Amino acid sequence: MGNKGTTQNSKEVRLTPKISKLKRRRSEKIDKMLIKDRIQRSKEFSILVFGNENISSGVLLNTLKRTKKYSQSKIEQLKPKVITNFLGPIISTIRSLDPESINENTKKSSNYLKSLTTYDLTNYSKIYKNLKIIWKDPSAQKQCLNHHHRNVIKYFFNNYERYFSEEFELTLDDVLISKNSYDSGVEKFNIKIDGIKLNIINVTKPIMNGKWLNVFDNVNLIIYCASLTDYNRQSKQIRNKNRLVETIETFRSICGLECLKTIPITLFLGQKQSFYRKLEKNKLSKFLKGFRSDGDNKRALGFIKKKFLTEAKKVSTDRKIFDFIIEDNSLDEISDLFRIISNLIKQEVKRK
């Protein structure tokens, strides 16, 4: 027995150098892959996009996405996925309907849709029939449009007859909006501008602790989207907190992050025309302390912009900040923003 044990131990000793050699080769291979990946990423340009739930960030990101080519054949392949992406938030909204405020037919239809599993989502004719019943109920429709998925829901029901028709043809808007129907917190996609690859990282969830931002490597530019029309709205996260004030504070916290302190920021303020119209009924002085020039739209706009920039300078005096204000859904002005981004990219490429 002692001899057998000795033989076994000697075999283990003889095998050890071979195993070490294999481990060393594997380690060297991994090192080479990491170096190659690092070199590749150094040639790319990453943009970190922050924004609350407003049309400014939506218009900006969808305009960026439109530069990414979608062939018609690829769009056709996405049909089932698009429908499924839409039905997810729709059914989630139906689950929250108040049963006491809807009629019996609506209850039956909502119960059917709530019982669906992923495998049942292919029965389009029955789904369409029940969705139609729900949408005809005024109370159900009102509740759906008050839900946090309201933008996706409104778009879906404006097009749902087309989605369930035999001649259904998918559009680029269908693809983009359905992809935004689920909010995972971080959305990533790639585009090219002037031959340079851009990695877009869109952060949509509220930031409670900025430390997790360290996971983003090689960020070259930050875009912060804010809505001017938020000045008289309440925060969704903090009770009795002004939403624009909260947005400004978040902007300040991002500017103060150590891991992003050297990165230039473009402040993207949207919905200028809606903001001007809103000022006629809701005076800015009632919602933001320190403003005393009600009736002067340009001063109101300048006051908000200054609030953002002043807070940023409190935590980061050397940072480059570019401010950019656009009209409602102005794609031409967004194109101007892209030109600024392109110039920043060229400067970064030259520096490298």
Side-chain angles (χ1 to χ4, degrees), residues 140-153:
Q141 186 177 135
K142 185 178 179 180
Q143 290 179 64
C144 286
L145 292 177
N146 284 330
H147 197 269
H148 67 274
H149 285 306
R150 57 187 170 275
N151 292 332
V152 174
I153 291 167

Side-chain angles (χ1 to χ4, degrees), residues 72-110:
Q72 192 57 40
S73 58
K74 185 176 180 180
I75 287 176
E76 289 297 315
Q77 293 172 7
L78 292 172
K79 274 186 183 181
K81 190 174 182 181
V82 165
I83 298 296
T84 302
N85 283 350
F86 273 125
L87 288 176
I90 298 296
I91 292 172
S92 173
T93 306
I94 289 169
R95 290 181 193 278
S96 66
L97 292 177
D98 178 11
E100 300 299 322
S101 63
I102 56 179
N103 60 46
E104 287 303 315
N105 287 335
T106 305
K107 285 181 185 177
K108 289 179 183 178
S109 294
S110 64

Side-chain angles (χ1 to χ4, degrees), residues 108-130:
K108 289 179 183 178
S109 294
S110 64
N111 287 335
Y112 164 73
L113 291 168
K114 285 189 284 188
S115 68
L116 293 178
T117 65
T118 307
Y119 303 102
D120 301 322
L121 294 180
T122 53
N123 192 349
Y124 290 153
S125 59
K126 196 169 182 180
I127 291 171
Y128 170 69
K129 181 181 176 182
N130 285 280

Side-chain angles (χ1 to χ4, degrees), residues 276-327:
Y276 283 171
R277 287 193 294 270
K278 204 170 190 178
L279 287 173
E280 295 174 6
K281 296 181 180 179
N282 301 277
K283 293 181 178 180
L284 188 64
S285 60
K286 289 183 178 180
F287 302 95
L288 291 183
K289 293 179 181 178
F291 184 72
R292 299 182 182 84
S293 302
D294 287 321
D296 191 328
N297 291 346
K298 288 185 178 180
R299 284 197 176 185
L301 184 59
F303 181 80
I304 291 176
K305 186 175 81 171
K306 188 176 179 180
K307 279 268 187 187
F308 275 96
L309 300 178
T310 301
E311 289 300 310
K313 287 176 182 177
K314 285 180 181 178
V315 292
S316 181
T317 55
D318 299 327
R319 183 190 296 277
K320 293 180 181 177
I321 300 178
F322 308 91
D323 57 90
F324 206 86
I325 301 167
I326 67 157
E327 310 287 338

Side-chain angles (χ1 to χ4, degrees), residues 328-344:
D328 294 1
N329 302 322
S330 175
L331 300 184
D332 289 337
E333 290 195 274
I334 292 174
S335 297
D336 290 338
L337 174 62
F338 294 161
R339 279 193 282 275
I340 292 172
I341 292 172
S342 296
N343 289 331
L344 289 170

